[in-house]
Amino acid sequence: MFDETDQLSVNALRALSIDMIERAGSGHPGLPLDAAPMAYVLYSRHLRVDPQDPEWINRDRFVLSAGHGSALLYSMLHLSGFATSLADLKQFRQLHSKTPGHPERGIVAGVDATTGPLGQGLAMAVGMAMAETHLAAQFNTPQQQVIDHFTYVMCGDGDLMEGISHEAASLAGNLKLNKLIVLYDSNDVSLDGATARTFSDDAQQRFAGYHWDYQKVAAGNDLAAIDAAITAAKATAAPSLIEIKTTIGYGAPKQGTHLVHGAPLGQVDLAATKRNLGWQEAPFTVPAAVQQRFQTQVQQRGHQAHQQWQADLATYQQTQPALAAQLHQALTQELPVDWQADLPQYTLGAGEAGRQTSQKVIQALAAKIPSFWGGAADLASSNKTDIAASGSFSATTRQARNLNFGVREFAEAAAMNGIALHGGTHVFGGTFFVFSDYMRGAIRLAALQHLPVTYIFTHDSLAVGEDGPTHEPVEQLMSLRAMPGISVIRPADPNEAVAAWRLAMTTNDRPTVLVLTRQQLAVLQGSLSQPDGVSRGGYVIAPQQHGTAEGILIASGSEVALAIEAQQRLRKFGHDVKVVSMPCFDRFMQQPVAYREKVLPRQIRRRVSLELGTTLGWERFVGLDGLSLGIESFGASGPAAEVLADYGFTADAVVAAYQKLW
Amino acid sequence: MFDETDQLSVNALRALSIDMIERAGSGHPGLPLDAAPMAYVLYSRHLRVDPQDPEWINRDRFVLSAGHGSALLYSMLHLSGFATSLADLKQFRQLHSKTPGHPERGIVAGVDATTGPLGQGLAMAVGMAMAETHLAAQFNTPQQQVIDHFTYVMCGDGDLMEGISHEAASLAGNLKLNKLIVLYDSNDVSLDGATARTFSDDAQQRFAGYHWDYQKVAAGNDLAAIDAAITAAKATAAPSLIEIKTTIGYGAPKQGTHLVHGAPLGQVDLAATKRNLGWQEAPFTVPAAVQQRFQTQVQQRGHQAHQQWQADLATYQQTQPALAAQLHQALTQELPVDWQADLPQYTLGAGEAGRQTSQKVIQALAAKIPSFWGGAADLASSNKTDIAASGSFSATTRQARNLNFGVREFAEAAAMNGIALHGGTHVFGGTFFVFSDYMRGAIRLAALQHLPVTYIFTHDSLAVGEDGPTHEPVEQLMSLRAMPGISVIRPADPNEAVAAWRLAMTTNDRPTVLVLTRQQLAVLQGSLSQPDGVSRGGYVIAPQQHGTAEGILIASGSEVALAIEAQQRLRKFGHDVKVVSMPCFDRFMQQPVAYREKVLPRQIRRRVSLELGTTLGWERFVGLDGLSLGIESFGASGPAAEVLADYGFTADAVVAAYQKLW
């Protein structure tokens, strides 16, 4: 089944990869040299992709979890007829090139996920496989499988050392994601040396514990054995791990050692490697037979599959017009025209916890938007994330829309990324705000990939109370605001919470973080009269009484009501201040200067900020002449009201702080 | 071996726990009711602790990884004669009580680690077991084992779902930490419901994959079986997992369901539970026989062991005076008088990367301080953390001082916490700065527990270059500065880097984060002339030429040199500014107002900050009238110099920014 041209093709991938790395003067030759055979078998015999339409929804997904092996992927994309040109390969790791150091989704056509931070690729793939099986359950009929593809991962020892690999694999096993297939490049070497020094897991036993299918390929260059293993993996009822034993840097003089992991081989070793591989072409040159082979085996095979799918889809559109219309809506991420129809509205006098408002919004959205789904990390009952009208997504109930991620926050966030990368749904996920720390690596990759996922972080401050400092967020709010490319919203009342959800649903280019209370929030007059306040990021929620304000109180979330209370007390002392609600720093900074100046006039310097979190960052709005009331230490265990008073969050304390400004 | 009084003692723990929770009106009865038997067997028959000296260095350690079961631990500490009084139990979860919602190290005597964020307790215990075996190898002689204790963990399903449990268990298996024993309260229920909905791991197979010893106890109330399992576990050559099948909320009407997990039972169910358990005492009342049993089985047994150890230690001090003196120094964390003798010094004209300076410092400290050890997460060769004079700590080389954590950043940081909690060493650990995200949960617990660990985070900015945005920190710096209780230092040159290490070594109440470059940093004149600059947090590194400065440039790390370059150019335009190096926000904020005013005089408002990171937070120093040059998006892959220029980090750009201030 494999001939000499196939072997030559494998070596073409190797040669191109090391040429790229040598030219760039940096990169990782170890993986491309050892994993080229498995990559070749996958792309040439199994992976169903159409280089002419890299975003074909029913393509097989491929995630290079060991993202440092990017040169191999780019070589593959080039030879397979994706947009990556030879010129691009020569620009490897150069500024503004189409071949960055690690695979970047959106920069390189054919890259299904941005990878590099180890372990996350595997977890994103789990999310992709979840999305696939969910969409398949929604849209396939006994006659027609419009969504029916595999998700492949290539990972290394480092990926499997990371904790997220456990969370992801355990979840995938529980969900029986049988169309997830992981090729494990098991080369026993990582950056610092032989993995045995620190890593001696028996992968077979470990993954048996997760109820995965496991196969071992003893020789990483054995194309037929790899092919047979992938073929077998496609037929199992469980996710599959194929452990393929390889020699890192295969062919290089220093093969089998960490010296070939992460730096160019150097001209001498490069030449020796090519000799060892029997490779005789000039740099960046590939024989015509190899080019032809990739054209036939990847490009044409994939394009034909895509054409067949399109023909099937046309039939589907005729036989299942309602489903086809819904599928179209799901894939284009269009919201139904009436998507906001059932959103709750609040009037003065009412009040509820942020998480409760969110719960109502979720029900209203779920009723109108069939592609809306999500869940929590074993905190659905606390985060109020359950869609009451649906069941739990599981191995036997693929259509259900409540995702039970288990106590696995990091994999939750990474799987959400995978779900969003896959396309076809709107996904949300919750946990306690303090545990957003566990997810940070994946939130960052959501932002970097411009993924419109929504995080529901409840229990947003010291008002958590009795659970104490391990469960009380302090620095999380400012720490997330510091991250590029995300929108962080902390609503002050039920109306702001609904508005925040609206923004999340209409934001397509970035993740949205909703920071919600467990405790009651009263409806505020100012949020009623200014429905666009949240979308502006910050707005005057309670103006001064006369003319120009003497000072400004600025707050977010539950502290806005406290600011308004303090405003009223300050009047008794003759201080006429205005109150600004600032639910979202990032959106406020995107407003025109004139608007920002109107809200926070430059000449008014008596400013006090109030927030149950670190003050660092609030100086953006209070400057050198104002001051910030916040939390500069960790919280404490006790009834919420006592904790808040103990930390100085009372109207009297705000009044006293304001009066210090003289 | 167990009689009726033992059974009564188990129920006493249960009754006290649910009384506490009921009185507090919040808490988690599920675990105390089901795990009281295993806790009782452990404390009464195995755990060697002396309630009269809870900090006895050779005590067995106990970590309640499932920290929400705190009521059980507090009940145990009370009955065992620790400082926790009955009055304390009645103050459960109240402000400033000695019985906070989750176990807090330093607040509650007898608590060996602050727990609550799931999974981290297990990983801290791995660190404790590492410290124990390292100290044992250093100090024990064939005749005398001065360090010789077990580390016990009690964990639940949630702990084992968390990714960090994989990292920690895999590391412990590789290191053959045979004195680590984990009691797994396997009750098949978590907060949201039956774990089977999302968690179906076979723990035996999984932990076989890590080369752990595994035992199963079929009935959680079977004291003899639990006792036998612990006895067997103590004799194995591998770490041990004892899976103990229990019924969550045992005895309660709703036992076996998630309804008993995390809220008080309520008076009716409380009464029913006590009836079911045959418990007839008044609330918070314990029969004398039970009190007597705890006194004998825990307090006296432990105190005698402690006395015996003290006698042995006295002999040791006579027979091994040198070792005994070194042990004393290690346990008191005293630094040798000459600890700074070999630290490198730098003169003008020299220069090197931050990580290289750190590497030299590590060698100098290691030579003088035998208790100094550390490592990296498979990046020792990049972070430059290896102690050249020592080997790798492993199952066969326990004395060695280089810790190979593997690609396991989170477990690394948590294990560092465990090592620091254990006492007897000074520990450091490194990774790429961008991957500090993976550790955040553990860094937070280091801060909360006041642990003096040192993080070595290299590759500190977009100057990483070719590896691209997944490897280029942007928001990490400000995000860590936002965390309470830690010191974050980003040195500008080799002298500042040495000073930063000095601070880390002399700081005993908090973790220190060292943020270091991969690229070269020239020695700066101002750091030479002001050796106490770093300890002040910020200082004038390059003053204005005449009288009062017109403006101020403020920078940290590699951008200080750029600020000085811009200062010189600005002179040509007639702008006489001073440059402030601000390596450490937190230390600067702790300086007296007068000092801060001297460095940043209030009336000078023309201020520009420069830092290769998010600007949010720099307004603390530049205010509303200044501006900040920073990075507001993610980085890019390319040669470092090109990337920096592309993001506007040139002296010309600084000059242009400063000139905008008019």
Side-chain angles (χ1 to χ4, degrees), chain A residues 191-192, chain B residues 353-360 362-363 375-386 403 405-406 409 412 428-435 439 455-460 501 514 516-518:
Chain A
L191 192 143
D192 271 343
Chain B
R355 61 175 177 163
Q356 286 173 311
T357 306
S358 174
Q359 183 180 32
K360 290 179 184 170
I362 287 171
Q363 311 315 314
D378 196 45
L379 286 171
S381 45
S382 290
N383 303 143
K384 307 291 184 197
T385 46
D386 264 348
L403 295 169
F405 290 103
E409 299 82 5
E412 173 186 23
F428 62 88
T431 188
F432 286 156
F433 189 31
V434 77
F435 298 133
M439 312 180 143
Y455 306 104
I456 301 173
F457 294 145
T458 70
H459 298 62
D460 76 342
W501 255 115
L514 303 181
L516 304 172
T517 67
R518 182 177 64 161

Side-chain angles (χ1 to χ4, degrees), chain B residues 36-204:
Chain B
M38 66 182 85
Y40 178 71
V41 171
L42 178 65
Y43 269 74
S44 70
R45 299 302 192 275
H46 298 278
L47 195 76
R48 219 176 39 175
V49 292
D50 181 1
Q52 293 175 43
D53 182 2
E55 295 299 306
W56 171 31
I57 187 68
N58 199 42
R59 73 190 183 279
D60 288 340
R61 302 300 193 275
F62 174 69
V63 179
L64 180 63
S65 193
H68 54 275
S70 57
L72 173 62
L73 179 55
Y74 301 152
S75 302
M76 181 70 80
L77 294 176
H78 167 63
L79 290 174
S80 300
F82 285 85
T84 306
S85 68
L86 203 60
D88 290 328
L89 297 189
K90 291 178 179 171
Q91 285 294 304
F92 184 48
R93 295 184 151 238
Q94 302 310 298
L95 194 58
H96 307 311
S97 77
K98 296 286 178 192
T99 46
H102 288 81
E104 287 184 50
R105 169 85 180 159
I107 305 281
V108 192
V111 166
D112 286 330
T114 297
T115 53
L118 292 175
Q120 289 196 60
L122 173 57
M124 286 190 279
V126 169
M128 292 175 184
M130 289 167 71
E132 190 268 347
T133 188
H134 179 63
L135 292 172
Q138 277 190 293
F139 294 108
N140 291 351
T141 66
Q143 289 73 39
Q144 288 185 286
Q145 280 75 56
V146 287
I147 302 293
D148 178 20
H149 68 78
F150 289 92
T151 300
Y152 295 97
V153 178
M154 188 186 293
C155 77
D157 293 300
D159 288 292
L160 296 187
M161 281 192 247
E162 289 286 0
I164 192 172
S165 72
H166 164 61
E167 298 182 7
S170 174
L171 181 61
N174 178 271
L175 291 173
K176 295 191 173 63
L177 299 175
N178 58 306
K179 290 163 88 179
L180 174 69
I181 298 173
V182 178
L183 308 181
Y184 167 25
D185 173 24
S186 178
N187 64 27
D188 299 323
V189 173
S190 60
L191 191 145
D192 271 342
T195 52
R197 300 181 323 146
T198 183
F199 179 58
S200 40
D201 290 5
D202 179 320
Q204 178 168 14

Side-chain angles (χ1 to χ4, degrees), chain A residues 591-648:
Chain A
Q591 298 305 306
V593 174
Y595 176 78
R596 284 188 274 150
E597 178 65 20
K598 209 175 78 179
V599 176
L600 299 174
R602 204 171 175 74
Q603 80 282 7
I604 304 181
R605 293 297 174 107
R606 291 194 181 104
R607 303 177 179 195
V608 174
S609 72
L610 286 75
E611 188 173 78
L612 283 167
T614 321
T615 60
L616 183 70
W618 270 107
E619 295 89 354
R620 173 162 291 183
F621 303 121
V622 303
L624 300 178
D625 305 305
L627 63 80
S628 295
L629 286 185
I631 307 293
E632 308 292 10
S633 61
F634 291 107
S637 170
E642 292 178 35
V643 172
L644 298 191
D646 198 52
Y647 281 76

Side-chain angles (χ1 to χ4, degrees), chain B residues 96-382:
Chain B
H96 307 311
S97 77
K98 296 286 178 192
T99 46
H102 288 81
E104 287 184 50
R105 169 85 180 159
I107 305 281
V108 192
V111 166
D112 286 330
T114 297
T115 53
L118 292 175
Q120 289 196 60
L122 173 57
M124 286 190 279
V126 169
M128 292 175 184
M130 289 167 71
E132 190 268 347
T133 188
H134 179 63
L135 292 172
Q138 277 190 293
F139 294 108
N140 291 351
T141 66
Q143 289 73 39
Q144 288 185 286
Q145 280 75 56
V146 287
I147 302 293
D148 178 20
H149 68 78
F150 289 92
T151 300
Y152 295 97
V153 178
M154 188 186 293
C155 77
D157 293 300
D159 288 292
L160 296 187
M161 281 192 247
E162 289 286 0
I164 192 172
S165 72
H166 164 61
E167 298 182 7
S170 174
L171 181 61
N174 178 271
L175 291 173
K176 295 191 173 63
L177 299 175
N178 58 306
K179 290 163 88 179
L180 174 69
I181 298 173
V182 178
L183 308 181
Y184 167 25
D185 173 24
S186 178
N187 64 27
D188 299 323
V189 173
S190 60
L191 191 145
D192 271 342
T195 52
R197 300 181 323 146
T198 183
F199 179 58
S200 40
D201 290 5
D202 179 320
Q204 178 168 14
Q205 287 186 299
R206 179 185 167 201
F207 279 78
Y210 303 142
H211 312 291
W212 280 49
D213 175 64
Y214 170 91
Q215 297 176 75
K216 186 167 189 166
V217 173
N221 288 316
D222 186 342
L223 303 184
I226 294 168
D227 184 48
I230 296 175
T231 301
K234 286 156 90 171
T236 65
S240 290
L241 182 77
I242 306 174
E243 180 172 7
I244 304 173
K245 295 307 295 185
T246 62
T247 301
I248 191 170
Y250 178 80
K254 291 171 188 142
Q255 70 172 31
T257 75
H258 70 289
L259 300 172
V260 294
H261 166 81
L265 299 173
Q267 284 300 338
V268 174
D269 280 14
L270 177 80
T273 304
K274 288 184 176 174
R275 268 199 309 279
N276 292 340
L277 295 171
W279 186 257
Q280 296 172 342
E281 309 295 320
F284 291 104
T285 307
V286 172
V290 167
Q291 297 193 10
Q292 180 58 41
R293 181 59 53 95
F294 275 92
Q295 205 165 24
T296 319
Q297 285 298 129
V298 188
Q299 197 167 0
Q300 289 173 10
R301 186 176 57 80
H303 186 62
Q304 281 161 12
H306 186 190
Q307 283 181 313
Q308 180 60 53
W309 180 84
Q310 280 172 318
D312 292 346
L313 184 67
T315 310
Y316 181 78
Q317 283 160 338
Q318 287 176 342
T319 58
Q320 305 286 343
L323 275 177
Q326 192 189 321
L327 177 64
H328 177 79
Q329 199 161 46
L331 298 185
T332 56
Q333 305 271 314
E334 268 173 35
L335 295 172
V337 286
D338 64 342
W339 71 274
Q340 306 186 67
D342 294 345
L343 288 178
Q345 294 184 316
Y346 297 86
T347 52
L348 220 56
E352 69 187 5
R355 61 175 177 163
Q356 286 173 311
T357 306
S358 174
Q359 183 180 32
K360 290 179 184 170
V361 171
I362 287 171
Q363 311 315 314
L365 294 173
K368 297 291 185 192
I369 310 170
S371 61
F372 180 75
W373 66 332
D378 196 45
L379 286 171
S381 45
S382 290

Side-chain angles (χ1 to χ4, degrees), chain A residues 383-448:
Chain A
N383 304 142
K384 307 291 183 197
T385 46
D386 264 349
I387 297 171
S390 189
S392 289
F393 177 78
S394 76
T396 51
T397 51
R398 303 291 201 198
Q399 277 195 287
R401 292 156 69 187
N402 290 306
L403 295 170
N404 298 313
F405 291 103
V407 188
R408 305 181 181 105
E409 299 84 3
F410 196 5
E412 174 186 24
M416 286 166 67
N417 290 349
I419 289 169
L421 284 165
H422 185 279
T425 66
H426 293 83
V427 69
F428 62 89
T431 188
F432 286 155
F433 189 31
V434 78
F435 298 132
S436 63
D437 281 349
Y438 278 44
M439 311 179 144
R440 248 185 109 83
I443 297 174
R444 189 174 210 260
L445 274 188
L448 190 52

